Amino acid sequence: MATESARPLDGFLAWCRPGFENDCAQELAAIDAQLATGGYARARRDSGYVEFMLPDEAAATRYGRAVDWRALTFARQWLRLRARIDALPASDRLAVLLPAIRAAGPAFADAWIESPDSDAGRELSGLCRSLNAALVAAMKRERLIDPAMPQRLHVALLDPATALLAVADVSRSAPWPGGIPRLRFPSSAPSRSTLKLEEAFLVLLDEAERERALRPGMSAVDLGAAPGGWTWQLVRRSIRVTAVDNGPMDASLLASGLVEHRREDGFRYQPPRPVDWLVCDMVEQPRRVAARISDWLAAGWCRHAMFNLKLPMKKRHEEVVLCRERIAEAVAGRRLDWRARQLYHDREEVTVYAALR
């Protein structure tokens, strides 16, 4: 797809949280080691993205078929790279972008111009918005936009003069620009941590799964619940919650009639009967949290678990893998459905959905 101004690339682009580029790169390299595709990561700290380069198109195709965005922990979005474009002229960027876009494919379902979620990237947000509107209009005139197409075009603007051209399979990528669902803090929620669980339900479960697994009348236990940010998300779905925490709970949640507050240690509490959901956002070492989740799953005390792992400063990818292995060992003989993601509303942590199938 070479054009006069575009340099072809074989590889992938992953958006991630600034400061976690190395963890994202390690995760992608571990997949490459299993596939033996000969790839390598290009990452710069605090940039908010990782490029994972493959030796040729065949290797990139093989790698892409093996990786699903939903299975990645540190990548918010997962895009197939097509080209790098340097020296974009400020006077007419579209004149350079459009020939490369025409070479990338016959048409696309949509086109997004994005920048990294970094300090430098956020300074480009206004340019991205104005350029995106102009690009979509130009592509529609040239019939390069077709909502029925399976792929979406992404233009990653790294600075005002540099862009990465990429594509995404609509069915296997995040449906939000930058991989970030834009959520508004509900004024009646008792803490901002409520946004973590709302985002987790959106990112880690698909629409059909949410429909089945978050029905009114279900039961849940929230370990380390106070003041009730995660409990609030369950109550708003008419799910009955046992909130376990020695600290005080929000009064309006207790008045809902759907919350029972148990002033107990979350690491010792055992439910009198199985529940549909266990949620847990306790500030504790990740291995200790993983051990407690193992207890619940192995004993059959819950059907679904959503929990946070507060990560160490170093070897964060390794810690997530270790926690997964320990839970898998505890439920040996049964298939573990594990989905972990560092969400936009997470910080030094990842959120995990786990269930037995």
Side-chain angles (χ1 to χ4, degrees), residues 39 64 69 97 108 113 160 185 195 204 210 221 243 272 298 340 345 347:
W69 161 76
L97 286 172
F108 300 92
I113 297 185
F185 175 64
L195 294 174
L204 298 178
R210 291 193 296 272
V221 170
H345 292 96
R347 293 186 183 276

Side-chain angles (χ1 to χ4, degrees), residues 10 12 35-39 54-64 80:
D10 288 313
F12 293 85
L35 297 173
T37 42
L54 279 303
D56 51 40
E57 185 174 358
T61 298
R62 183 176 170 223
Y63 191 96
R80 174 73 178 267

Side-chain angles (χ1 to χ4, degrees), residues 10 27 48 57 99 118 184 186-187 203 242 249 251 264-265 342:
D10 288 313
E27 182 177 24
E57 185 174 358
S118 62
R184 180 175 296 179
S187 59
V203 172
T242 300
M249 290 291 293
E264 298 184 35
D265 182 349
Q342 185 173 44

Side-chain angles (χ1 to χ4, degrees), residues 71-95:
L72 297 173
T73 299
F74 292 99
R76 294 173 177 169
Q77 182 62 287
W78 180 242
L79 309 171
R80 174 73 178 267
L81 284 169
R82 292 300 186 188
R84 179 185 176 96
I85 304 173
D86 294 297
L88 282 170
S91 59
D92 194 356
R93 295 180 176 89
L94 292 188

Side-chain angles (χ1 to χ4, degrees), residues 267-331:
F267 285 100
R268 297 177 180 273
Y269 176 79
Q270 296 183 17
R273 62 189 66 84
V275 297
D276 296 297
W277 278 93
L278 168 69
V279 300
C280 174
D281 190 25
M282 291 191 289
V283 180
E284 187 51 82
Q285 293 182 353
R287 299 180 195 189
R288 191 177 182 211
V289 172
R292 192 59 182 152
I293 300 301
S294 298
D295 294 339
W296 277 71
L297 290 173
W301 294 342
C302 65
R303 293 175 54 215
H304 310 271
M306 192 79 78
F307 56 97
N308 270 357
L309 297 174
K310 316 293 183 180
L311 299 179
M313 293 301 294
K314 297 180 179 180
K315 297 186 177 181
R316 295 176 289 208
H317 168 63
E318 292 92 333
E319 189 70 19
V320 174
V321 171
L322 184 147
C323 289
R324 176 178 181 169
E325 290 175 347
R326 291 196 173 182
I327 293 177
E329 289 172 3
V331 298

Side-chain angles (χ1 to χ4, degrees), residues 12-16 21-22 24-25 28 41-43 48-52:
F12 293 85
L13 174 67
W15 294 130
C16 65
E21 295 83 7
N22 187 53
C24 184
L28 300 179
R42 296 199 300 219
Y49 67 94
V50 174
E51 296 172 85
F52 197 81

Side-chain angles (χ1 to χ4, degrees), residues 86-167:
D86 294 297
L88 282 170
S91 59
D92 194 356
R93 295 180 176 89
L94 292 188
V96 177
L97 286 172
L98 281 170
I101 292 170
R102 294 188 200 104
F108 300 92
D110 201 356
W112 294 352
I113 297 185
E114 308 165 297
S115 57
D117 182 34
S118 62
D119 291 340
R122 283 187 285 274
E123 293 179 1
L124 298 169
S125 59
L127 175 59
C128 287
R129 286 192 297 270
S130 61
L131 193 57
N132 207 151
L135 176 63
V136 170
M139 291 178 65
K140 286 181 176 178
R141 287 195 298 271
E142 298 194 21
R143 298 185 178 181
L144 294 173
I145 296 286
D146 179 355
M149 297 299 287
Q151 289 191 322
R152 182 175 55 238
L153 175 74
H154 291 253
V155 179
L157 203 62
L158 305 183
D159 61 55
T162 308
L164 297 174
L165 200 66
V167 296

